[in-house]
Amino acid sequence: MKEVLRVENLKKSYHKNEVLKGVSFSINEGETKVIIGPSGGGKSTLLYCINYLQKPDSGEIYLDSELITPKNIYEARKKIGFVFQYFNLFMHLTALDNVMIGLIKVKKLPKDEALKIAKESLLLVGIKEDLWNHYPAQLSGGQQQRVAIARAIAMSPRIILFDEPTSALDVELIGEVLQAMKTLAENGMTMLIVTHELEFAKSVAHEIMFLESGVIVEKGTPQEIIEHPKSERLKKFLSKIAKGEE
Amino acid sequence: MIFDVSALNLSNLIYVLRGIFWTLFLTFVSIGLGLILGSALAFGEVYLPPPFSYIFRIIGEVLRGVPLILLFLILYFAFNLGMTLSAILGLGLRSASYQGQIFRSSLEAISAGQLHAGLSLGMTKFQVFKEILVPQALRIMIPGWTNEFITVLKDTSIAFVLGVMDIMTRADFIARSIGRYFEIYIFIALVYFVLVKTSMSILNNLYERVRIPGLGEKR
Ligand SMILES: Nc1ncnc2c1ncn2[C@@H]1O[C@H](COP(=O)(O)OP(=O)(O)OP(=O)(O)O)[C@@H](O)[C@H]1O
Ligand SMILES: [Mg+2]
């Protein structure tokens, strides 16, 4: 199996606060890995460091065996999709233009080709033609997040990073976003997902990693992590989730 | 008080109205200057690191804190800049400080998340600025900017102290020479009112045409 992403001994501090204390893992082509962990544990920081939205202090990140550096980061970002907790759609662009802008401005595709890809991407996440000309403010949260997913997949990235993609959504909208992500997983997209939707994780994840206080405390199959947690900290965290506290 | 219509004869009116050139010239040049300097102030304040951003903020605050008439007199007498230049710089600098504020709050209304989203697609910082920040900031600032335009338009009349031959100065001149103030002042009040209303409807129209639903509105 071909390795897409490898993170080695990644460290990051904000001032004196060490948020990532040496994180290592890798993801192969077509795999979905899920990260869980308590608030403030460094999950977002980890994702932001992978595509240098935050600069890591030390450690290495390899994309398709190539070391990511500040020099090649713009090339690397084209191949790393990112889906944010708060969608972050471009507010002055319609759904369709949100998906097309990367294709046109970054990939320099001709307009008709970009349009075709954008439409396919939107349809894949269940955004039908009647919504294509809506501005973000005219879409529900679930629709916005699906447009954001379409924006990421349109670039045909090697991997997509998801930072709690459903945690800002009303409960009744979570399902449609998870469904879109499931479709991607079935299509063989490589994904790294921070989420606390354990049922979803069980159904799509090849591996779950438990990140707490900047270290991966435990990792394993969904079975191992959710049904048979070993460490006390993971057990405690899972029972908190079950009570709806995280 | 009697309103003597004969004071508003054609030659008097034409004499006053010829000042519209200076009124509009001062307005456009000062607004333009204010736009350029104001965006520089805004970027300095928002994007430069602390010691430098403070300098930009202080410049803005000083300019907002000085009465316009005093600014004119300082430029004219202390810097010997001449009538036209003092008028343009006085109006332009003060407008820069207000336009800077308008532009800054427009920039700040755009979430950092959208900038991250642009970068995550592989855009360069300049592309993010050009494709995401500017088109949104320009739209968001139009309503505030409309007010500023009107303020400058009306405050060109204060350049009267410098002797710029705008409608205010000319009106005063005529009023004095014929000894009828009320009629002439009412007339130029009307001229200002028409100018203000016209600019407002043009700018509001522009805003309606480029407005995007939900943009700049707090969620
Ligand atoms: N830009 C920043 N500057 C300073 N400290 C930060 C910054 N971003 C995050 N932190 C700190 O780093 C730690 C980890 O934050 P991070 O957002 O990565 O956690 P998280 O696991 O994603 O939490 P959550 O589940 O709440 O999203 C927190 O203590 C946070 O306060
Ligand atoms: Mg987070």
Side-chain angles (χ1 to χ4, degrees), chain A residues 48 51 53 74 77-78 80 82 84 86 88-93 98 101-102 105-106 108 135 137-138 144 151-152 155, chain B residues 111-125 127 130-133 135-136 139 211-215 219:
Chain A
Y48 278 69
N51 74 351
L53 287 178
Y74 289 101
R77 281 181 186 151
K78 293 182 197 172
I80 304 175
F82 206 114
F84 299 85
Y86 298 103
N88 294 350
L89 290 182
F90 306 127
M91 299 300 285
H92 64 308
L93 299 179
N98 260 281
I101 190 170
K105 298 294 171 185
V106 177
K108 314 278 185 204
Y135 288 98
Q138 299 167 321
Q144 286 190 56
R151 175 173 70 180
M155 300 290 287
Chain B
S111 63
Q114 289 185 64
L115 312 186
H116 281 150
L119 290 174
S120 79
L121 289 173
M123 287 187 189
T124 61
K125 282 182 189 155
Q127 281 179 317
K130 175 167 165 280
E131 305 294 338
I132 296 161
L133 265 177
Q136 294 191 43
R139 287 183 167 88
R211 199 179 72 90
I212 284 168
L215 187 63
R219 271 170 296 165

Side-chain angles (χ1 to χ4, degrees), chain A residues 171-185:
Chain A
V171 225
E172 70 271 18
L173 300 177
I174 291 176
E176 61 190 60
V177 171
L178 294 181
Q179 186 50 49
M181 292 166 66
K182 227 174 235 176
T183 308
L184 296 193

Side-chain angles (χ1 to χ4, degrees), chain B residues 16 167-168 171-172 183-193:
Chain B
V16 171
I167 53 175
M168 183 67 216
D172 188 66
E183 293 79 358
I184 299 288
Y185 287 164
I186 288 289
F187 173 66
I188 56 162
L190 204 69
V191 174
Y192 278 114
F193 180 77

Side-chain angles (χ1 to χ4, degrees), chain B residues 147-185:
Chain B
N147 288 334
E148 174 59 17
F149 185 91
I150 285 157
T151 302
V152 172
L153 174 61
K154 287 185 294 190
D155 285 358
T156 54
S157 62
I158 302 176
F160 156 75
V161 295
L162 298 171
V164 176
M165 290 301 272
D166 68 329
I167 53 175
M168 183 67 216
T169 310
R170 283 172 172 266
D172 188 66
F173 208 73
I174 280 284
R176 242 186 267 233
S177 71
I178 61 172
R180 301 295 316 185
Y181 295 89
F182 181 56
E183 293 79 358
I184 299 288
Y185 287 164

Side-chain angles (χ1 to χ4, degrees), chain A residues 13-15 17-20 37-46 48 54 85 163-164 194 196 211 246:
Chain A
S13 303
Y14 293 111
H15 308 290
N17 177 14
E18 194 174 27
V19 177
L20 297 176
S39 181
K43 305 180 297 296
S44 300
T45 304
L46 173 59
Y48 278 69
Q54 289 286 353
Q85 187 169 7
D163 189 9
E164 302 201 41
V194 173
H196 291 159
L211 180 71
E246 271 287 348

Side-chain angles (χ1 to χ4, degrees), chain A residues 36-38 198 210 212 217-218 225-226 228-246:
Chain A
I36 58 174
L198 294 186
F210 174 53
E212 195 204 31
V217 176
E218 205 173 324
I225 294 293
I226 298 170
H228 310 288
K230 290 194 208 73
S231 65
E232 277 313 306
R233 287 145 95 184
L234 178 53
K235 283 178 196 163
K236 225 187 206 160
F237 174 74
L238 289 172
S239 77
K240 266 191 171 174
I241 286 200
K243 283 187 236 150
E245 287 169 19
E246 271 287 348

Side-chain angles (χ1 to χ4, degrees), chain B residues 88-105:
Chain B
I88 289 172
L89 274 185
L91 284 163
L93 285 173
R94 195 200 48 166
S95 186
S97 70
Y98 283 102
Q99 292 190 58
Q101 276 199 321
I102 296 167
F103 205 55
R104 190 194 53 175
S105 62

